[in-house]
DNA sequence: GATGAATGAGGATTCATTCAT
DNA sequence: GATGAATGAATCCTCATTCAT
């Protein structure tokens, strides 16, 4: 049969997108060619363009769907956990951050591309639609938190996750200061060695501590 | 005179580099061509290559020299200020961050390029030399802080500035979530509006508050 | 049809390669641009690179395939001719040389590029594979000669053809001594006028005469 | 004193030219830049152009002067040797060839450039003048040989040296068939291993044997 | 829907040559 | 005569995208 069901279509699209995601984990956007994505996916170059109008659309899609999934999962986990105090919330947010770093680091890296690179050539209509859906999920997560913690406004809850991503994203950019092109610089540079996970958790912890302190004081 | 003094040569190099920096404030690295840098600098394409071996070297140079200048200036300001308590230190660091954002934002944006893009083609020798010099300055700043605040180790002082850059860098990546390609999305997205300066200062403030709190507790 | 058969692909590859070969008959390697090859072939620049990874690969391909064809044809001709004595062999080799000069002169000229220019950028794997195949053919020709003339070892037969190419190649390099950039120098320079064909045949004839004489003596 | 004597000028010209010659012994013409010649000579780039109008002129100069010297020396050696018979002449020519290979191989390599590369951009006037002078020397050598061996015409004597260069030049082009870009190919390729000196001497020997045999027969 | 051949704009980089000092 | 900064033409090669089959 030549007419694929919607499901089959989605599967091939997902195959291509996930291949691109894996490649992006190890390679720079500009060093990933449509050719290599097609080859690694086991499809023809033209097929890639059947599923994504442009190269940028692939990565915009990954960014949107990835974050949608991540926050959907975060909502579930938050609601399962029946957290009652701010300390519990902080623990939850830190463990959520650990999950983000362990399992969705490329998602964070995609953020760097979004504004300066992807938006220039990604489909505006699709992107905005995807982004609105993402914001709905994000807003729902924030609302759930607000419903459990009246002192945390929805806006503040949203901002907490923006800061979460920012810290991880920023530390990625500042990592590898003690090496050049993967080759370690011989000097002792322990003061400039960034461990993304340790440093992100510590930084986010301090941030939340300070934030909740101010909350109580006001 | 065709035999330029070292100073004259440095001036022309600075002219080219600064032109590139201005362009980078508004344009993506891959959308800046050597051609356009040359044209904007008012020199021939070949002249650019007389001063920088590769395109990547231009931006690596900007990154290193920019940070060297920023931290040198920070050292002066710190020592002028005769800060005596942690609150004063926090104020100093926040005002320093404001300066960073107001006057050196492209510097932070350059960090994104460093690992994945610049190091692949920048001169390793020059870069490592420049980086070692930068680390010396950084370390000196950290030491000066440690000398004034015994409870802040040199390592911690260094880390504070890494976190400072990370937060600003990360928020840049997360900014403009309420628009697409500079065009605002019509919905009300105030919860997803990032003000780099406000959010960076708030985030860094909370972080420092939490950090200094832990410091006192321990 | 957009899925070309292997044969169709070979034809287009041959079209590009043969265009390059014709250009090389009249122009120096460095004055032949990919642009001009594409234009002369009636295809786009990118198409040339679809068939050959580098400019050097085009000419390496021509060299290998050209010699493979020439020696394959030489084998056929040798076996058709039922040569019985050394004089007959000499006549055969001289007539073979005439054919080489009349119909495959650019092949000889390509030898100059091989070591110093082509090998630096041509695909090593493809080249070695092509060269091994060429050597097999060459060896087969030498073996056939040895089978007819026990006194001529396989090694010697191989060397005869290397000398054949060398003499023609060398005389090409020494030709046009009586002109400058195709413009004749007015003096009488008949002593320095090289006729590639006449001189190559005479030289090869003398060489073979001397070689076979030594053969009989030993 | 700012006005250099003719001798001083010649010395600097010779310095630049000889540096270029040494570089050409190991590097392809197109991989030798004026910049590198200037640097290796210890002079400025502009100075090179004070002594040679174009890059091609440098190598044309080397070719002409090199051959002038070689044949001048050959004349002396011939006249010192008082050769009386053809066997003695053959020995002289072979020993002369050995000298050519051992001490002037780059001269032979320059021949390859002459027609296709140098003449296009070398000064015609200078070249023709240099070439006429070279032909006079060449002719004198041929005449001296003819005066000792009446059966060898001046034209034939001239041709012998053209063939000498051709054989060496051709074998250079055919050498290194058993390696790729200086890396040996692992197969046993002894039949395709060219020893420039051995093979050139053998080939030239056979050629002379055959030539002198025909001479006697006629 | 899948394919992959063809396209050609675009970019980094090289280098001989000029010429003001 | 020496210098070396400036020039810009020229070249190879990449790669997203199109589209006929």
């Amino acid at each position: 049969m030549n007419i694929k069901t919607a499901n089959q279509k989605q599967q091939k699209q997902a195959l291509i997108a996930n291949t691109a995601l894996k490649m992006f984990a190890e390679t720079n956007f500009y060093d990933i060619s449509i050719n290599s994505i097609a080859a690694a996916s086991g499809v023809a170059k033209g097929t890639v363009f059947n599923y994504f109008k442009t190269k940028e659309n692939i990565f915009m899609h990954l960014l949107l769907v990835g974050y949608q999934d991540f926050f959907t999962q975060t909502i579930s986990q938050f609601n399962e956990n029946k957290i009652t105090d701010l300390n519990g919330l902080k623990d939850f947010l830190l463990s959520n951050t650990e999950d983000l770093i362990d399992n969705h680091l490329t998602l964070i890296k995609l953020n760097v591309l979004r504004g300066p690179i992807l938006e220039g050539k990604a489909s505006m209509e699709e992107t905005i639609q995807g982004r609105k859906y993402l914001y709905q999920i994000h807003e729902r997560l924030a609302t759930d938190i607000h419903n459990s913690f009246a002192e945390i406004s929805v806006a503040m809850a949203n901002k907490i996750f923006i800061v979460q991503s920012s810290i991880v994203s920023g530390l990625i950019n500042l990592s590898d200061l003690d090496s050049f092109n993967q080759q370690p610089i011989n000097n002792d540079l322990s003061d400039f060695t960034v461990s993304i996970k340790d440093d992100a958790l510590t930084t986010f912890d301090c941030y939340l501590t300070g934030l909740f302190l101010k909350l109580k004081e006001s």
Side-chain angles (χ1 to χ4, degrees), chain A residues 67 100 108 111 159-173:
Chain A
Y67 262 117
L100 180 62
I108 301 287
N111 268 322
K159 186 63 49 96
I160 285 172
F161 287 97
I162 289 174
V163 169
Q164 176 195 49
S165 277
S166 294
I167 287 172
V168 180
S169 175
L171 283 166
I172 289 173
N173 295 341

Side-chain angles (χ1 to χ4, degrees), chain A residues 38-97:
Chain A
S41 302
V43 302
K45 209 189 315 190
T47 304
V48 174
F49 283 95
N50 283 343
Y51 289 93
F52 296 98
K53 278 176 212 147
T54 64
K55 182 186 171 187
E56 284 78 10
N57 265 348
I58 302 176
F59 290 91
M60 189 60 98
H61 171 89
L62 283 168
L63 181 61
L64 292 170
V65 170
Y67 262 117
Q68 286 164 10
D69 289 353
F70 176 68
F71 285 121
T72 300
Q73 171 205 310
T74 301
I75 290 174
S76 302
Q77 289 168 345
F78 178 75
N79 289 324
E80 280 166 11
N81 269 23
K82 320 258 182 222
I83 303 163
T84 52
D85 65 348
L86 284 178
N87 271 338
L89 181 61
K90 196 166 79 174
D91 288 348
F92 172 78
L93 290 170
L94 287 172
S95 127
N96 179 257
T97 305

Side-chain angles (χ1 to χ4, degrees), chain A residues 3-37:
Chain A
I3 295 137
K4 301 227 161 168
T5 64
N7 191 30
Q8 278 176 312
K9 271 188 70 172
Q10 258 192 356
Q11 278 188 349
K12 185 154 279 190
Q13 195 191 40
L15 165 69
I16 293 168
N18 286 331
T19 304
L21 187 65
K22 273 176 211 147
M23 295 175 81
F24 184 68
E26 297 185 340
T27 319
N28 175 266
F29 175 78
Y30 280 98
D31 290 339
I32 299 174
S33 67
I34 290 283
N35 233 336
S36 61
I37 294 174

